[in-house]
């Protein structure tokens, strides 16, 4: 009996604290390159490894800086019961005026922060500053991708208010891990975005609209799998509890490709924002920029902190 108890205690959830998981973020930034119009595609093709590898930097920085966390989500339900989010000012300064900066930061700022990143990326293009272009491209790809995740648009982000603890990583990590090979991520070539602010708020609104379905179906399919919702895998020295393949399969199918559709939309949005920044910067010629990219010591530091440390601020996958 004791041994069983000890074994049970050693069960840990395998999921990492990364929105869309490593796989999702890397896939989104990588595939966004192929959605670019042909005047910008060659530049990103050269640097595809950078924007792919660095797509998870913003999550790593959450282990270093307290103020990083709020850039990855928006608790829409703090402001409105349902989409559309039309009582929250979409302009940052007006929102600060209405709610104060502290309130906004407490409940997440992903759409506003994506707009700030767009301005920074545009400036980097204007200055033909290669390092900043690549850094901001990778970063904005991450934030935009997060804005497309339904559970990044609610204060019930890990099902902690509805007895569905663990759903965050299930939706954005476990399901992509299992089904990504079947995802249709082709988007066609992106177009210039006339109103990026409304574009990103729409994305968050769509995410918010999907929250009910994400939660309801997990509960319903979970009831059908009362006895086999979880299974155990051995990873290294740990026995790890995971959602079972049978449950994941039924939950994934019940959502009718929602995970793939949100990821596909994220791919489009990331490429469209890259392209829009470049056009707004006057379509600078990037051909002669050096291909040398020095390592940023901060990235290394953040990576180490992630390996050893604890996330600062909101822990999406913890026992909140
Ligand atoms: Zn994130």
């Amino acid at each position: 009996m004791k041994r069983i108890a000890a074994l049970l205690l050693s069960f840990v959830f395998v999921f990492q604290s990364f929105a869309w998981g490593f796989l999702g973020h890397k896939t989104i930034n990588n595939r966004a390159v192929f959605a670019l119009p042909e005047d910008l595609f060659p530049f990103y093709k050269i640097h595809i490894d950078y924007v792919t590898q660095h797509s998870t930097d913003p999550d790593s920085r959450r282990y270093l800086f307290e103020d990083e966390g709020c850039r990855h989500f928006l608790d829409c339900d703090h402001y409105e019961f349902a989409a559309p989010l039309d009582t929250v000012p979409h302009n940052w300064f007006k929102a600060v005026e209405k709610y104060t900066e502290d309130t906004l930061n407490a409940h997440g700022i992903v759409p506003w922060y994506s707009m700030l990143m767009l301005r920074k990326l545009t400036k980097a293009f204007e200055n033909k500053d290669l390092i900043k272009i690549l850094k901001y491209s990778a970063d904005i790809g991450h934030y935009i991708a997060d804005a497309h995740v339904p559970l990044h648009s609610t204060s019930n982000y890990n099902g902690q208010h509805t007895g569905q603890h663990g759903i965050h990583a299930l939706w954005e990590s476990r399901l992509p891990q299992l089904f990504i090979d079947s995802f249709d991520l082709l988007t066609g070539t992106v177009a210039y975005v006339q109103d990026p602010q409304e574009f990103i708020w729409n994305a968050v609104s769509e995410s918010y609209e999907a929250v009910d379905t994400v939660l309801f179906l997990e509960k319903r399919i979970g009831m059908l799998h009362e006895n086999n919702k979880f299974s155990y895998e051995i990873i290294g020295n740990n026995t790890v509890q995971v959602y079972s393949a049978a449950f994941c399969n039924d939950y994934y199918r019940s959502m009718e490709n929602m995970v793939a559709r949100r990821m596909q939309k994220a791919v489009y949005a990331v490429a469209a924002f890259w392209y829009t920044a470049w056009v707004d910067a006057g379509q600078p010629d990037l051909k002669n920029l050096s291909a040398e990219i020095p390592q940023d010591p901060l990235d290394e530091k953040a990576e180490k902190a992630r390996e050893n440390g604890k996330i600062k601020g909101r822990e999406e996958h913890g026992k909140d």
Side-chain angles (χ1 to χ4, degrees):
M1 196 61 200
K2 259 189 177 168
R3 275 182 62 190
I4 295 170
L7 187 67
L8 282 170
L9 280 175
S10 76
F11 289 155
V12 290
F13 278 91
V14 65
F15 306 115
Q16 295 284 320
S17 300
F18 290 97
W20 273 124
F22 269 125
L23 178 66
H25 277 298
K26 286 184 175 169
T27 304
I28 290 165
N29 272 11
N30 186 281
R31 298 303 291 267
V33 172
F34 298 95
L36 287 166
E38 60 186 22
D39 36 5
L40 190 56
F41 170 71
F43 170 77
Y44 277 90
K45 184 74 200 340
I46 293 170
H47 299 292
I48 191 166
D49 286 346
Y50 183 97
V51 293
T52 304
Q53 292 309 321
H54 289 264
S55 62
T56 52
D57 285 359
D59 274 338
S60 298
R61 287 200 296 267
R62 296 176 59 196
Y63 292 80
L64 277 184
F65 307 115
E66 189 103 29
D67 56 358
E68 177 61 44
C70 65
R71 300 169 182 169
H72 301 240
F73 64 87
L74 177 70
D75 291 341
C76 298
D77 50 340
H78 178 75
Y79 303 100
E80 297 200 36
F81 285 118
L85 300 158
D86 49 7
T87 61
V88 188
H90 296 181
N91 173 282
W92 170 253
F93 297 103
K94 287 186 180 149
V96 169
E97 217 171 272
K98 185 167 178 180
Y99 297 110
T100 78
E101 194 165 347
D102 283 353
T103 301
L104 297 179
N105 285 335
H107 300 285
I109 58 169
V110 68
W112 294 295
Y113 201 73
S114 300
M115 288 305 297
L116 175 66
M117 291 307 297
L118 181 67
R119 283 192 289 280
K120 286 188 167 192
L121 180 58
T122 307
K123 195 95 207 134
F125 274 127
E126 277 170 12
N127 296 335
K128 293 196 188 186
D129 183 332
L130 178 67
I131 314 243
K132 284 189 175 161
I133 293 171
L134 294 179
K135 246 185 135 32
Y136 296 148
S137 292
D139 280 2
I140 199 172
H142 182 100
Y143 298 119
I144 289 172
D146 278 356
H148 284 77
V149 177
L151 291 167
H152 278 244
S153 68
T154 170
S155 63
N156 189 20
Y157 49 86
N158 199 17
Q160 73 275 26
H161 298 155
T162 45
Q164 294 171 283
H165 192 271
I167 192 173
H168 196 103
L170 166 67
W171 199 95
E172 64 181 26
S173 294
R174 177 79 167 152
L175 296 183
Q177 274 164 17
L178 288 171
F179 301 108
I180 201 162
D181 288 346
S182 68
F183 288 8
D184 175 8
L185 297 177
L186 288 177
T187 64
T189 306
V190 300
Y192 176 76
V193 182
Q194 295 291 347
D195 191 342
Q197 184 172 283
E198 284 321 289
F199 188 104
I200 192 71
W201 276 89
N202 268 337
V204 176
S205 242
E206 285 173 3
S207 293
Y208 188 35
E209 276 176 46
V211 171
D212 278 354
T213 306
V214 166
L215 292 169
F216 170 75
L217 289 174
E218 195 273 345
K219 210 155 232 183
R220 189 158 162 228
I221 303 298
M223 277 154 70
L224 298 175
H225 286 272
E226 211 178 342
N227 299 320
N228 66 346
K229 187 173 177 185
F230 297 101
S231 61
Y232 299 98
E233 288 177 3
I234 294 173
I235 297 182
N237 293 326
N238 287 321
T239 302
V240 171
Q241 178 177 271
V242 295
Y243 289 97
S244 71
F247 166 75
C248 289
N249 194 48
D250 286 352
Y251 179 42
Y252 179 74
R253 310 262 161 245
S254 73
M255 286 186 288
E256 298 178 342
N257 291 327
M258 185 207 284
V259 186
R261 281 185 278 115
R262 293 311 286 154
M263 194 179 270
Q264 186 191 45
K265 280 212 158 187
V267 169
Y268 184 95
V270 170
F273 269 55
W274 289 346
Y275 184 62
T276 299
W278 178 70
V279 171
D280 284 347
Q283 310 191 2
D285 182 357
L286 306 169
K287 268 195 218 83
N288 297 325
L289 292 187
S290 154
E292 284 295 311
I293 307 154
Q295 177 80 24
D296 184 338
L298 184 65
D299 292 346
E300 227 173 287
K301 221 174 138 194
E303 207 47 43
K304 283 223 169 77
R306 185 186 63 74
E307 279 162 23
N308 306 324
K310 178 159 167 26
I311 216 156
K312 292 185 192 286
R314 180 185 283 192
E315 167 64 90
E316 282 157 359
H317 306 260
K319 294 190 177 4
D320 329 69

